Amino acid sequence: MAMQAGLEERYFITALARGLDVLGCFRVADKGLSNQQIAERCGLPKSTITRITYTLTRLGYLAQDANHKYVLGTATLRLGSTMLQGLDIRELARPMMQALADSTGTTVAIAVRDRLSMIYVDVCRSTAALSLSLQVGARLQLAASAIGRAYLAKASEAERQEILSRSRELDDTVYDSMQQGVARALHDEAEFGCATSFGEWQQDINGIAVSFMPISGGQRMSINCGGPSSSISQEYLLDEVRPRLVAIARRLES
């Protein structure tokens, strides 16, 4: 095992990993990041980040705005578009998602895992006055969100251990939170057949979620359904919405 690990490390390109970390540190709400802000997010020296951002800018993966801060460039858009086009499961899922959103007054979304987050790859909203405003590309925490916990509940034991190891590398608080998220995910899956988050991801948001392995193959996904707690109660989600959400997930698997 030690020899195998050593061979794997020989193939690991640190510079490439750091460049991808820089691209991955950008969030939907970011208006632009300085080298110092990127360095803080990535945990790397500013001098290292300066070289990386310069290279990524030359290649079109980053661009500088009027304030000389970095934003994602058009090259990343090409990569993202290619990835989304490959998720043909969305074409099958969207009519069912929209029908559920319209009939329940909720927001329905599909997400995939990226390290310690879930990223929305498709979102359907109802016409209700109060609905969630999250967009494609939004990130949600694995441990606190229903869509993240649904993924944790169905992930293999090896993958859960890899996730816990990643969280331990950050700090004890993140690790403890992830352990609690895994325990809650397994508990909810056993009791409800879905994951839940009632005012935990955001205080005024209720949601439930189910994980599934797409019939088209590829990586595991999760689908959630939720809305403002003022109009979407726990009881409504569990009693009325849950059977329909579970049925959609099963249809996307078979």
Side-chain angles (χ1 to χ4, degrees):
M1 292 297 291
M3 182 177 296
Q4 179 65 29
L7 289 173
E8 291 175 354
E9 286 302 313
R10 285 176 54 192
Y11 288 107
F12 188 85
I13 305 174
T14 301
L16 175 59
R18 288 176 172 176
L20 294 174
D21 282 342
V22 168
L23 294 177
C25 83
F26 285 82
R27 302 291 181 262
V28 174
D30 290 336
K31 302 301 182 184
L33 298 176
S34 66
N35 279 326
Q36 182 60 43
Q37 289 172 311
I38 296 172
E40 291 172 356
R41 289 191 180 184
C42 295
L44 293 170
K46 183 180 176 182
S47 58
T48 300
I49 293 298
T50 300
R51 295 194 299 272
I52 293 174
T53 53
Y54 174 81
T55 303
L56 292 173
T57 301
R58 286 285 302 272
L59 295 173
Y61 290 99
L62 292 179
Q64 284 186 293
D65 62 17
N67 297 316
H68 301 290
K69 290 192 173 184
Y70 291 97
V71 296
L72 292 177
T74 56
T76 58
L77 179 62
R78 290 197 303 270
L79 290 176
S81 298
T82 302
M83 186 276 289
L84 289 176
Q85 289 170 8
L87 295 175
D88 55 356
I89 193 69
R90 297 182 308 150
E91 297 181 10
L92 175 62
R94 193 172 294 118
M96 294 184 281
M97 293 168 61
Q98 192 62 60
L100 181 60
D102 289 339
S103 63
T104 58
T106 61
T107 297
V108 182
I110 285 179
V112 296
R113 181 173 84 89
D114 177 45
R115 303 187 185 187
L116 302 183
S117 303
M118 298 294 290
I119 302 180
Y120 276 180
V121 295
D122 207 1
V123 182
C124 291
R125 296 180 181 79
S126 72
T127 56
L130 294 176
S131 63
L132 303 185
S133 60
L134 290 172
Q135 306 289 336
V136 170
R139 288 177 177 267
L140 286 78
Q141 297 175 352
L142 265 177
S145 64
I147 205 164
R149 289 173 178 167
Y151 189 98
L152 290 171
K154 291 295 188 177
S156 67
E157 183 60 29
E159 186 175 6
R160 280 198 292 265
Q161 289 304 314
E162 182 262 332
I163 290 170
L164 287 169
S165 295
R166 279 184 178 271
S167 63
R168 189 194 293 272
E169 291 172 0
L170 296 178
D171 60 52
D172 289 341
T173 301
V174 176
Y175 178 67
D176 291 343
S177 175
M178 191 62 69
Q179 280 191 311
Q180 294 171 16
V182 170
R184 173 66 179 277
L186 296 174
H187 172 273
D188 282 358
E189 177 64 27
E191 182 167 353
F192 304 118
C194 69
T196 69
S197 180
F198 301 130
E200 296 161 81
W201 170 63
Q202 288 189 11
Q203 188 173 5
D204 58 344
I205 301 297
N206 287 336
I208 60 173
V210 181
S211 183
F212 64 95
M213 183 62 74
I215 187 174
S216 56
Q219 65 187 115
R220 175 170 291 279
M221 297 178 165
S222 293
I223 181 171
N224 71 352
C225 183
S229 55
S230 58
S231 57
I232 306 297
S233 68
Q234 300 180 40
E235 292 76 19
Y236 178 67
L237 286 172
L238 290 175
D239 296 342
E240 303 295 331
V241 178
R242 176 183 54 169
R244 297 179 59 184
L245 188 67
V246 171
I248 290 174
R250 297 295 81 82
R251 289 185 64 183
L252 295 176
E253 282 190 322
S254 62

